[in-house]
Amino acid sequence: MTVTFGDDAEAGRADDAVRALAAEGVPQALAAGDPTLWGEAARAEAAIRLGWLNLPLTSRELLPEIANLVEKARAEGLDHVVLAGMGGSSLAPEVICSTADVPLTVLDTTDPGQVRRALTDRLDRTIVVVASKSGGTIETDSHRRIYEKAFRDAGIDPADRIVVVTDPGSPLEQSAIEAGYQVILADPNVGGRYSALSAFGLVPSALAGADVARLLDDAQAVHDSLAASEGNPGLELGAALGQAALAGRDKLLLDDRLSEINGLPDWIEQLIAESTGKDGKGILPVVGGDPNGAPDEFVAGIGGDGGVRVDGPLGAQFLIWEYATAVAGRLLGIDPFNQPNVAESKQNTAAILEAGFGEEKPVLVDGPVEVYGAVPGEPGDLSDVLTGLLSAVPDHGYLAVLAYLDRWAAFDVAQPEDASLDQLTEAWTARDPATLRALLSTRTDRPVTFGWGPRFLHSTGQYHKGGPQNGVFLQITGAVTDDVEVPGKPYTLGRLQLAQALGDLGALAGRGRPVVRLHLTDRVAGVAHLLAAARIE
């Protein structure tokens, strides 16, 4: 595992920070799990959140149980693995399985279409991992209820198909035991976003076919360096990230185009944004963006060039980025283990579901797109709305696109059997809401981020509300034509999805964050219309 720097000046600044941290005894104290490193206010939280430091060793105790689970699933022909989890419970397994090139269906959404797609795919060969640290995650609870009913309707005992990963003592543990589900307990002293090498990362990945023992081997190989003042990649990376942010370069562009690891920036985004984005401070990870040469940019290359370059296998990458985030938190003077602003959107969602949605009139309708909110300027059409939002981004600010839509709908469109990869890619891109990020990025020198709702609420959502007051937000929702009931609950997935969007919108607006909502009355036509409007300058 190596961390290298793009030029001598960058290396010198990082080296100064490393020497200062070493003089304070930080590497030895952190490796030993000292909870006082982030100040007295953070001590209680840190004391129960440092178990991740030793997961390369302690998680080996899970391997025999996981191996038995995998063997049983294979013997029963269960080759469709569905992971119901949010944030730290889903992002690491997705990276692990994508890198290992093994199939895993991840449900980190409340979109009815996305859930229905998974639900109708090989139900007779499906095993579901329900993963929730707290045991009360509303999205995951909804997925569990929906799959329980689907299995029963198909004459399948849910106890034969559902595996639960949770913390000891959570409400999910007790209800799972009563239902007869296999329960695998995670280390309670590990926070969700630091849980890649815990049961949350290992169980679904092993079921999907990934070599999780090797993942732990690669992490263990770098573990001994964590207490060192020299040759410690975690210390070097953390010093570089923290020092850059303190110098005003707090937009972290993550470039993995030359890496053999697939999707690591999405995991890093959650780890760093939720860990550092609080108290008006923070580092904003930017996934998929190209450098503009702006003074607040800092580029990290995963296997490629940047202000800092990080090379190494996936297991080691997980551990080193976690360590680096903890070090950066100390430099920034924040608690990297709490998430003080995450609960507000959840509370708003619950209130909306209970009280109802009310009536709101759009300020503008442009074809299949309704526009809500305080739109900058006097827009006459959707193109003007987007132009106004871009112009509202302040110096050192950013634009965040937040899409509460079906992440995979663009791939549903039928294509000719003889279509080339380039033709397929072009067709998918033309229907993918995520294309909006790239289109808007060409029209500004400010970072543009893109998040799928509600999954980003468990990651960058903390930064949006607790980080620097310089974000502008574009939220996208869509009409639901084929909803999914949530058994035992008074709401459907579609209503839950909209309540989550409106709940977060309220949290952002309540902090004075500029936020506009676009509602697609026809999702397919609306995405096409939105992308066309974004191309107009």
Side-chain angles (χ1 to χ4, degrees):
M1 188 83 203
T2 59
V3 172
T4 53
F5 297 92
D7 57 52
D8 291 341
E10 200 70 64
R13 287 189 289 266
D15 190 53
D16 289 343
V18 165
R19 283 200 301 270
L21 289 164
E24 297 168 355
V26 170
Q28 297 83 1
L30 179 52
D34 183 350
T36 68
L37 287 171
W38 302 274
E40 189 59 35
R43 181 173 184 168
E45 183 75 20
I48 57 171
R49 289 292 178 263
L50 290 169
W52 54 271
L53 285 158
N54 292 311
L55 286 177
L57 307 174
T58 58
S59 283
R60 294 186 182 279
E61 300 171 2
L62 295 171
L63 294 181
E65 185 177 8
I66 292 174
N68 289 337
L69 176 63
V70 171
E71 183 179 0
K72 182 174 181 290
R74 297 288 183 272
E76 295 175 359
L78 304 179
D79 58 359
H80 180 217
V81 182
V82 175
L83 170 59
M86 300 298 297
S89 299
S90 64
L91 288 167
E94 191 167 55
V95 176
I96 295 167
C97 292
S98 180
T99 300
D101 195 22
V102 295
L104 176 69
T105 297
V106 175
L107 285 185
D108 54 1
T109 181
T110 46
D111 186 83
Q114 195 168 328
V115 172
R116 190 181 298 280
R117 184 184 297 103
L119 198 64
T120 56
D121 181 11
R122 298 167 287 165
L123 186 66
D124 60 324
R125 291 154 47 195
T126 293
I127 183 169
V128 180
V129 179
V130 176
S132 171
K133 178 177 175 63
S134 69
T137 309
I138 191 171
E139 300 95 337
T140 305
D141 177 70
S142 299
H143 301 151
R144 176 184 59 80
R145 292 170 179 271
I146 290 166
Y147 264 98
E148 285 174 340
K149 183 178 186 301
F151 284 138
R152 290 192 183 104
D153 289 349
I156 299 170
D157 185 352
D160 294 333
R161 300 298 187 87
I162 294 178
V163 177
V164 168
V165 181
T166 190
D167 274 6
S170 79
L172 180 57
E173 179 195 10
Q174 186 58 41
S175 63
I177 291 172
E178 293 171 357
Y181 301 152
Q182 179 163 353
V183 178
I184 298 181
L185 296 176
D187 187 335
N189 293 316
V190 177
R193 56 189 178 273
Y194 291 82
S195 66
L197 298 172
S198 76
F200 288 106
L202 303 184
V203 172
S205 301
L207 280 168
D211 185 350
V212 296
R214 179 179 176 182
L215 196 73
L216 295 178
D217 289 343
D218 290 337
Q220 187 173 348
V222 76
H223 181 265
D224 288 345
S225 71
L226 301 185
S229 298
E230 297 181 2
N232 181 340
L235 184 65
E236 294 165 358
L237 179 58
L241 297 176
Q243 174 272 333
L246 289 172
R249 291 177 297 150
D250 59 354
K251 309 302 187 300
L252 178 65
L253 277 65
L254 297 164
D255 183 358
D256 69 337
R257 284 172 291 187
L258 299 179
S259 175
E260 295 181 355
I261 299 173
N262 295 326
L264 187 60
D266 286 330
W267 176 82
I268 295 172
E269 178 185 48
Q270 181 230 4
L271 172 70
I272 290 181
E274 194 169 40
S275 296
T276 69
K278 58 200 71 168
D279 304 330
K281 307 174 184 179
I283 299 170
L284 177 68
V286 182
V287 178
D290 291 322
N292 289 312
D296 57 347
E297 291 179 351
F298 185 65
V299 181
I302 314 298
D305 294 333
V308 61
R309 172 173 173 165
V310 188
D311 292 282
L314 180 55
Q317 291 270 3
F318 282 144
L319 186 60
I320 290 309
W321 280 98
E322 289 166 349
Y323 185 102
T325 300
V327 170
R330 176 179 169 87
L331 290 173
L332 292 173
I334 54 93
D335 176 358
F337 305 112
N338 69 350
Q339 47 280 333
N341 304 111
V342 167
E344 183 177 355
S345 292
K346 298 178 182 178
Q347 293 164 355
N348 289 353
T349 296
I352 291 170
L353 288 172
E354 182 176 353
F357 292 86
E359 294 291 334
E360 182 183 8
K361 292 184 178 181
V363 297
L364 176 70
V365 177
D366 187 342
V369 181
E370 298 174 342
V371 182
Y372 297 85
V375 182
E378 298 180 1
D381 58 18
L382 185 56
S383 177
D384 290 345
V385 172
L386 298 176
T387 299
L389 283 171
L390 288 170
S391 65
V393 179
D395 292 343
H396 304 293
Y398 65 99
L399 173 66
V401 182
L402 315 172
Y404 290 80
L405 299 170
D406 183 343
R407 184 180 170 193
W408 305 115
F411 301 95
D412 288 343
V413 180
Q415 301 292 341
E417 291 186 4
D418 60 349
S420 67
L421 179 59
D422 287 343
Q423 290 172 322
L424 290 173
T425 301
E426 183 178 354
W428 292 330
T429 300
R431 295 169 174 83
D432 188 354
T435 302
L436 184 62
R437 191 209 62 76
L439 292 175
L440 295 178
S441 291
T442 64
R443 299 173 54 180
T444 178
D445 62 356
R446 296 285 76 224
V448 179
T449 65
F450 185 95
W452 293 104
R455 99 174 191 173
F456 78 84
L457 293 176
H458 300 258
S459 58
T460 53
Q462 167 62 45
Y463 183 96
H464 294 160
K465 293 178 280 290
Q469 177 93 350
N470 57 12
V472 174
F473 301 90
L474 175 61
Q475 188 185 86
I476 309 171
T477 57
V480 173
T481 57
D482 191 9
D483 213 341
V484 175
E485 297 288 334
V486 180
K489 292 294 182 179
Y491 49 78
T492 63
L493 281 184
R495 289 180 66 80
L496 174 58
Q497 183 184 42
L498 181 58
Q500 289 177 310
L502 296 179
D504 192 50
L505 187 148
L508 292 168
R511 284 176 167 76
R513 266 63 164 171
V515 55
V516 169
R517 179 168 73 98
L518 306 181
H519 184 70
L520 313 182
T521 54
D522 179 306
R523 292 194 178 201
V524 174
V527 169
H529 192 64
L530 177 57
L531 296 183
R535 291 187 180 94
I536 301 173
E537 298 189 23

